Amino acid sequence: MTTSKFATLPRSRQLLSSYSRLMSTASSTSIGSSMTDLPNFPLVGKNPDEEPPRVRFAPSPTGSLHVGGARTALYNWLIAQGARVEGDNDASFIVRVEDTDVARSTKESEASVLQDLEWLGLKWDEGPLTNGDFGPYRQSERADLYKSVARTLLDSGKAYPCFSTNEELEAVKEAQMAAGESPRYDGKWRDADPELVQQKIDAGDPYTVRFAVPKGARVVIDDVVRGTIAWDAEATVGDFILLRSSGVPVYNFCVAVDDATMGITMVVRAEEHLTNTLRQGLILDALGAPRPRYAHCSLILGEDQQKLSKRHGATSCNQFKEDGFLPDAMINYLSLLGWNDGTDREIFTRDELVDSFDMSRVNPSGAVFDMQKLKWINSNHLKMMSIDDVKPLVLEQLLKANVLKASGSEDSKERITVAATCLAKQMMVTTVDAATNAKAVLAYPLPQSFSDLSSVEPDEQKLIKSGAFYNVAKAIVHAYDAGVLPRPNEVNVMEPFEELNGNLIVEDNSVGGGTYAYPAAWKTFMKTLGKEMNLKGKELFHPARLAMTGVMSGQDVTKQMALLQLASEFGSAADLEGGLEVVPLEVRMEILRGFLETIPEEFRQVKVEEVKETEAKGGKGGSKEPRGSKEASSSQGSDAAADSSSDLIGSYEGPAFNSMDVRVGRITKVWKHEESDKLFCEEVDVGEDEPRQIASGLQPFFELEDLQDRKVLVLCNLKARKLAGFPSHGMVLCAGNEEHTAVKFCDAPVDAKIGERIWWGGDGVLPENMDEPAAENKFAKKKMFEKIAPYLRTNEFGVCEFLGKPIMTSSGPCTSAMADGGIS
C-alpha cells in the first residue's frame, strides 16, 4: 500500500513551546493536557489486507436509513460474514454512529437507523447496544480521544492554530476565484510569529486547529472498486480544519481517528466519500497509522440517471418495510446494485449471498434502482416461503389496513389471516397485496342499477351488454332463493384451503375438501347449470363469477366465498368499525336481484347469430338458438350431444387445419421471465437451424423441470411478438379444463421426429400432398387460429382432435393428460 511521504515541518522550539502552552491553557478548545496519553492504533506494523476483516458502517443519525446506506451496510456485513464462514472468527462488522453534526443528529434518527438494520438482519458485532473492545461507538462520546490526538498533532508540529476570521477567509476565497484559482486556505497562520500567536491567545481570540499539509505531499490509494487513484494534496485541499473554534472536531478528523483506533481493515462506502479519502489519508499518515483498504461503490441512481432521492419515490428502508417488502428480498436486490456473481443468477438467499459475495466483482458504474425488479425479486422470495412464514407478515398488513381489529378473537384472526394468505400467495408481489386482495374479495362492486354500469370495468360492461350475464345471474338468484346454491360449510369454513391431510393449499387451480365438501358441491352446481343452459367455459364461468363476486375474473370462487363467510360470521375479527366493507352473500343476492331488474330487455338475451349460407352444402342455413337460456338448452342440448364428427366436419366453415404450421418440438432451455410471474421463457428446437424463443404463460401450472427437454407441439406460423418484453415466436399447445384452472401439455408420441409437421386428414391417413401452411402475416391478419381453436379439443381418452378426428404424427396421434379439454 502506498503512503504519502510526510516531510518534517520547520518549527522552532519556541513555537512548539508556545503551542503546548496554548493547548494546555486555552479553554476554547480544551484539548487534553498530556502528550504521553496517546491512543492505541491496533494495525501499526501490520498489513491490513492480511488481518481478520474489521469493517464498519458509519451512519449519520440525521434521518432514516436509505437504500444507499443499506447497501453499504450490507456489503460490509457480507465481508465479515463471508470471512466467518471461511473460519475467521475474529472478523467483525462494526456500527459506528457519526453524530458530530450536532444541529441535525437526533437520538430518534439513530434509533430508527438501528431498527432498520435489525429489520434487514444485519446484526453488528460491535456498536451501540452491544459490547466491544474499541468503544464507545458514538463519535459524540469520543471527544476526549479526538482532543488527545489533536494535541499530539499540535505538539509534533503537524497542526497549528488559525486565527483567521470568516470575513478574512471569504475575502481570500473571492480573490482566488477571481484569479481562476481553486479556493483553499492561504496558510497565513501556518508559520506565524510565536509571540503574535501568544498575544492572540492571551487576548482570548477564537481560533481553529488546522492540519499542516506537508509540502509536495501526494496520497495514492488502490481502490478495490476503482483502481489506483492519486491526489496532489497541497494543490488540492490546502491546510484544512481539524477542530472548529468551538472545540468540536470536524467529520474527516473523527473518521480518520476512529478508523485508526478501531483497527478498521477496509472502508467500503459510496463514491461521494472519495474526496474525503485525501484528508483522512493525510491524517492517518501523520499519526503513523496504516491506512485501511478503500472501496468506493457507485451511487444508486433513479431511472433519470440522477442520484436516488425522495423525488424518485420510496427510498427509506422503513418505507419498504411498511410497503410489504421482505428483508431477505431487500438484501437480495441491494446486493445486485453494483454486484453480480459472474452468472445471470438474480435470486439469492441470505446464505447464498454470504457464500458468493466478493468485493472484486463490484462494478464502478452507477446502479439504477428499478422498483419493478425489486418487486419481482420480492415476489420470488414470497413464493419460496411457507404459509406459516408469510402468515405473520400478512397479519401485520391486515391489522394496518383495518381488515382485522387487534382486539378480535385470536381464532378468527388466525383463520382470516390463513385464508387471505392462501388466496393471495401465488399472486403476491408484496405482503400488502394480501390485505388489498382481501378487501377486494369482501367488497361487492356490482352496481345497484344498470344506469351505473360505467362504474365497472369495460370487460364487465361488455359481458353484461352482450346478454350473456342476465340468464346465468338470474339462475344463481333462483338457486339462492330455492336454498340450493352451495354455500361454505359453517362447521369447517376452511375446507377450500385445506387438503384432506390438513395441508394448506396455495395454488389457485386446486381446492380442498372431499367429495361432499363445499368446493365439490359448487363444481357440481356449475356443471348442472351449464348443462341446463347449454353453456360451458367462459360463457358460463365469467357470468357466474361476476354474479357471485362482483368482478369477472379472480381467484377460485369457493375460496373467496369462504373468506367472505369468515369475515361475516358472528364474532368475526373483521374490522367493521374501522371502515372495512364486507358484503355478505345474502346482501349480494339482493343487490344482484335489483341490478337484474334494471337490465334493459335488449341485454337479457345473447344476440341471435345467423348461420352463413354455404353454396357447397346446397344452401343449408337458418339460425342458431341463442345460448344461455333454458329454452335454448331444450331445443339444442340433445342435438349437440348427438352431433357426430362427420356432422362437425360437414358444417365447419373455418380455415383448414393444415393452414396451421404445427410441429413437434423439444424444449432445450427454459427459465422464468424476470418481470412476469406467469411466463416461462423457452428455447425450442423445431427442426430449424436455430431454436425458437417462445414465451408461455405456464408458470402457474408447471415447474421449470416439467418443461426442460420435454417434447411438445408448437404452432410455428405465428408472427413474432414481444410478451412482457420477451421476443416470442410461436406457441406451445396445451389442453385445459373448462374452468381454466388446470393445464396439461399436448404430447407427441415418444418416437415422433423433432421438426415433423402435425397433420389432420379427417380419416387419420397422411395426405399425399399436405397443403402448405398459411404465411405468418395472413395467418395473423385473418385470425385463423382464433377460428380453428374452438374445434381443437381432447376427447374423453385424452386424444387431441380437430372436428372429432385425431391430430396425427408419423408415429401416431397426439395425446394429453387432460381429457375432455380445450386446446390452445
Side-chain angles (χ1 to χ4, degrees):
M1 181 178 298
T2 307
T3 59
S4 66
K5 183 179 180 181
F6 215 107
T8 302
L9 296 172
R11 283 288 185 276
S12 67
R13 183 70 59 184
Q14 183 182 9
L15 188 58
L16 287 175
S17 176
S18 175
Y19 287 171
S20 295
R21 291 198 306 274
L22 178 156
M23 301 317 298
S24 63
T25 60
S27 60
S28 60
T29 51
S30 302
I31 297 177
S33 60
S34 173
M35 287 185 59
T36 59
D37 185 20
L38 299 176
N40 175 42
F41 302 141
L43 294 178
V44 169
K46 300 176 183 178
N47 182 348
D49 286 344
E50 297 174 357
E51 295 300 303
R54 286 183 57 79
V55 291
R56 48 76 162 181
F57 173 56
S60 297
T62 56
S64 303
L65 178 64
H66 289 256
V67 292
R71 183 190 62 175
T72 298
L74 170 62
Y75 283 4
N76 282 285
W77 181 83
L78 286 171
I79 290 169
Q81 291 296 111
R84 283 203 196 89
V85 168
E86 294 176 359
D88 199 337
N89 294 323
D90 292 328
S92 288
F93 170 54
I94 301 159
V95 171
R96 187 175 74 213
V97 178
E98 297 185 343
D99 54 355
T100 54
D101 188 343
V102 179
R104 298 175 61 219
S105 297
T106 66
K107 288 295 182 184
E108 292 78 11
S109 289
E110 177 186 317
S112 172
V113 169
L114 297 179
Q115 286 169 5
D116 287 341
L117 289 175
E118 290 177 339
W119 174 69
L120 289 169
L122 304 183
K123 184 180 180 182
W124 54 97
D125 305 296
E126 301 173 35
L129 312 179
T130 64
N131 296 320
D133 297 331
F134 297 89
Y137 294 95
R138 295 181 182 89
Q139 288 183 341
S140 59
E141 298 171 1
R142 296 167 67 83
D144 290 343
L145 172 63
Y146 305 137
K147 293 174 184 178
S148 173
V149 174
R151 172 62 183 270
T152 300
L153 292 174
L154 280 162
D155 286 348
S156 63
K158 296 173 182 176
Y160 60 91
C162 170
F163 295 89
S164 295
T165 65
N166 289 335
E167 293 75 14
E168 290 172 336
L169 293 172
E170 188 62 31
V172 170
K173 178 181 177 181
E174 289 178 359
Q176 290 172 336
M177 293 180 68
E181 300 173 1
S182 298
R184 63 183 184 278
Y185 179 63
D186 62 357
K188 175 180 178 180
W189 290 93
R190 180 176 175 125
D191 294 306
D193 183 344
E195 291 184 3
L196 177 59
V197 170
Q198 190 60 53
Q199 289 174 11
K200 301 285 281 184
I201 294 168
D202 293 342
D205 289 355
Y207 59 87
T208 60
V209 174
R210 285 188 180 271
F211 182 82
V213 176
K215 300 293 183 182
R218 283 179 61 80
V219 172
V220 182
I221 64 169
D222 180 18
D223 193 283
V224 175
V225 176
R226 300 177 181 279
T228 301
I229 303 172
W231 294 272
D232 181 337
E234 189 177 11
T236 304
V237 294
D239 293 353
F240 53 90
I241 294 174
L242 299 180
L243 297 180
R244 299 180 181 90
S245 58
S246 62
V248 175
V250 300
Y251 169 78
N252 281 308
F253 181 48
C254 296
V255 170
V257 172
D258 291 343
D259 285 344
T261 55
M262 291 182 180
I264 301 301
T265 60
M266 177 180 281
V267 172
V268 179
R269 57 191 179 186
E271 64 176 305
E272 59 192 346
H273 289 283
L274 188 58
T275 54
N276 294 328
T277 308
L278 168 56
R279 293 174 174 82
Q280 294 165 18
L282 288 169
I283 294 168
L284 290 168
D285 293 348
L287 294 173
R291 294 189 213 145
R293 190 77 182 276
Y294 291 97
H296 289 90
C297 303
S298 65
L299 294 177
I300 299 177
L301 309 175
E303 292 184 0
D304 58 359
Q305 301 297 313
Q306 301 300 309
K307 182 180 176 182
L308 190 69
S309 64
K310 290 181 180 179
R311 63 189 174 85
H312 292 102
T315 60
S316 71
C317 289
N318 184 62
Q319 187 59 57
F320 286 110
K321 176 185 177 183
E322 293 295 311
D323 289 345
F325 288 90
L326 304 173
D328 278 9
M330 288 297 299
I331 290 297
N332 186 162
Y333 180 63
L334 290 174
S335 73
L336 300 176
L337 291 176
W339 171 86
N340 66 74
D341 69 344
T343 71
D344 293 333
R345 183 179 182 186
E346 293 187 305
I347 303 299
F348 293 85
T349 65
R350 192 176 293 259
D351 289 342
E352 288 168 344
L353 277 176
V354 170
D355 291 338
S356 304
F357 186 78
D358 188 334
M359 279 301 301
S360 67
R361 292 205 58 84
V362 174
N363 193 313
S365 301
V368 175
F369 190 90
D370 184 343
M371 180 62 77
Q372 295 308 311
K373 187 166 185 179
L374 170 59
K375 289 180 177 179
W376 176 75
I377 288 175
N378 200 70
S379 68
N380 276 273
H381 278 270
L382 280 167
K383 286 182 175 69
M384 293 189 291
M385 296 173 69
S386 68
I387 290 290
D388 286 339
D389 290 335
V390 178
K391 191 172 60 178
L393 305 176
V394 171
L395 173 60
E396 183 180 335
Q397 297 294 346
L398 293 174
L399 290 168
K400 190 166 67 174
N402 293 327
V403 175
L404 293 178
K405 52 189 176 186
S407 60
S409 79
E410 294 303 316
D411 177 65
S412 178
K413 285 192 291 188
E414 167 74 9
R415 292 195 296 161
I416 290 176
T417 301
V418 170
T421 305
C422 289
L423 258 179
K425 180 72 162 58
Q426 280 193 306
M427 50 76 74
M428 266 196 290
V429 174
T430 74
T431 55
V432 169
D433 293 333
T436 304
N437 183 67
K439 292 173 83 170
V441 167
L442 297 176
Y444 188 66
L446 192 74
Q448 299 273 351
S449 169
F450 185 85
S451 61
D452 300 323
L453 194 61
S454 60
S455 66
V456 302
E457 295 296 322
D459 284 347
E460 290 154 3
Q461 294 181 37
K462 184 177 179 181
L463 176 68
I464 292 168
K465 289 182 177 180
S466 73
F469 174 73
Y470 180 83
N471 286 304
V472 174
K474 187 175 180 181
I476 286 175
V477 172
H478 287 164
Y480 173 78
D481 291 341
V484 296
L485 181 71
R487 303 180 67 166
N489 179 1
E490 294 185 6
V491 177
N492 183 13
V493 183
M494 298 298 291
E495 277 179 339
F497 303 105
E498 296 175 343
E499 296 177 348
L500 292 177
N501 60 9
N503 291 339
L504 292 171
I505 299 170
V506 296
E507 295 82 6
D508 193 50
N509 59 0
S510 180
V511 291
T515 307
Y516 303 104
Y518 170 49
W522 174 258
K523 185 175 182 180
T524 300
F525 170 78
M526 289 300 294
K527 191 171 183 178
T528 302
L529 183 63
K531 286 182 178 178
E532 289 177 351
M533 305 188 74
N534 191 32
L535 292 173
K536 58 185 177 182
K538 295 178 181 179
E539 292 177 325
L540 172 66
F541 294 105
H542 282 182
R545 181 184 290 277
L546 180 57
M548 294 294 291
T549 69
V551 293
M552 201 169 74
S553 60
Q555 297 122 329
D556 176 78
V557 170
T558 63
K559 292 179 180 178
Q560 293 192 54
M561 292 299 104
L563 176 59
L564 179 64
Q565 175 68 28
L566 291 168
S568 306
E569 64 188 8
F570 179 77
S572 168
D575 193 3
L576 301 179
E577 297 87 348
L580 177 67
E581 182 184 8
V582 177
V583 184
L585 182 60
E586 53 270 23
V587 177
R588 294 182 181 211
M589 291 297 102
E590 289 309 308
I591 293 173
L592 179 60
R593 191 194 313 277
F595 178 72
L596 291 174
E597 290 174 357
T598 68
I599 294 179
E601 287 294 333
E602 62 184 296
F603 302 127
R604 295 189 177 192
Q605 293 288 349
V606 178
K607 306 293 186 296
V608 176
E609 295 179 357
E610 295 296 329
V611 179
K612 296 179 181 178
E613 290 214 29
T614 310
E615 292 181 4
K617 299 191 191 71
K620 180 180 178 180
S623 63
K624 294 182 181 178
E625 293 287 346
R627 302 183 73 185
S629 66
K630 293 187 178 181
E631 292 79 9
S633 72
S634 64
S635 63
Q636 273 195 306
S638 58
D639 292 339
D643 269 350
S644 67
S645 61
S646 59
D647 292 333
L648 287 171
I649 295 170
S651 61
Y652 176 68
E653 299 177 351
F657 177 89
N658 294 331
S659 64
M660 297 191 296
D661 183 9
V662 183
R663 301 182 216 164
V664 178
R666 184 183 300 281
I667 300 175
T668 58
K669 183 178 179 181
V670 60
W671 64 99
K672 291 182 179 179
H673 193 288
E674 287 186 357
E675 298 176 2
S676 171
D677 59 1
K678 290 184 170 57
L679 294 180
F680 280 127
C681 301
E682 304 126 23
E683 288 187 359
V684 186
D685 179 7
V686 291
E688 298 172 332
D689 292 338
E690 297 291 335
R692 289 202 179 202
Q693 287 194 328
I694 297 175
S696 301
L698 300 175
Q699 268 205 59
F701 307 103
F702 298 101
E703 300 297 329
L704 280 171
E705 53 268 26
D706 296 329
L707 276 70
Q708 186 64 48
D709 295 322
R710 188 181 189 97
K711 193 176 282 187
V712 290
L713 302 186
V714 180
L715 177 57
C716 292
N717 55 335
L718 292 178
K719 288 181 67 176
R721 61 186 180 127
K722 287 190 175 181
L723 293 178
F726 181 80
S728 180
H729 193 189
M731 180 171 68
V732 174
L733 296 182
C734 294
N737 63 358
E738 290 184 353
E739 294 86 357
H740 302 281
T741 57
V743 170
K744 302 295 181 183
F745 287 102
C746 292
D747 298 316
V750 255
D751 48 353
K753 298 173 185 175
I754 299 300
E756 77 164 285
R757 193 170 159 207
I758 306 303
W759 50 271
W760 176 86
D763 55 3
V765 179
L766 176 65
E768 292 185 9
N769 296 303
M770 195 186 307
D771 295 335
E772 287 296 318
E776 289 182 359
N777 286 341
K778 180 180 178 182
F779 195 78
K781 188 174 182 180
K782 295 196 173 184
K783 298 185 177 180
M784 292 187 177
F785 184 72
E786 289 87 337
K787 296 174 181 177
I788 293 173
Y791 303 92
L792 287 171
R793 296 193 58 79
T794 56
N795 66 18
E796 59 187 301
F797 305 108
V799 175
C800 299
E801 296 181 337
F802 175 64
L803 299 175
K805 295 289 187 179
I807 297 168
M808 302 293 292
T809 70
S810 59
S811 303
C814 302
T815 58
S816 174
M818 173 64 66
D820 196 22
I823 297 175
S824 60

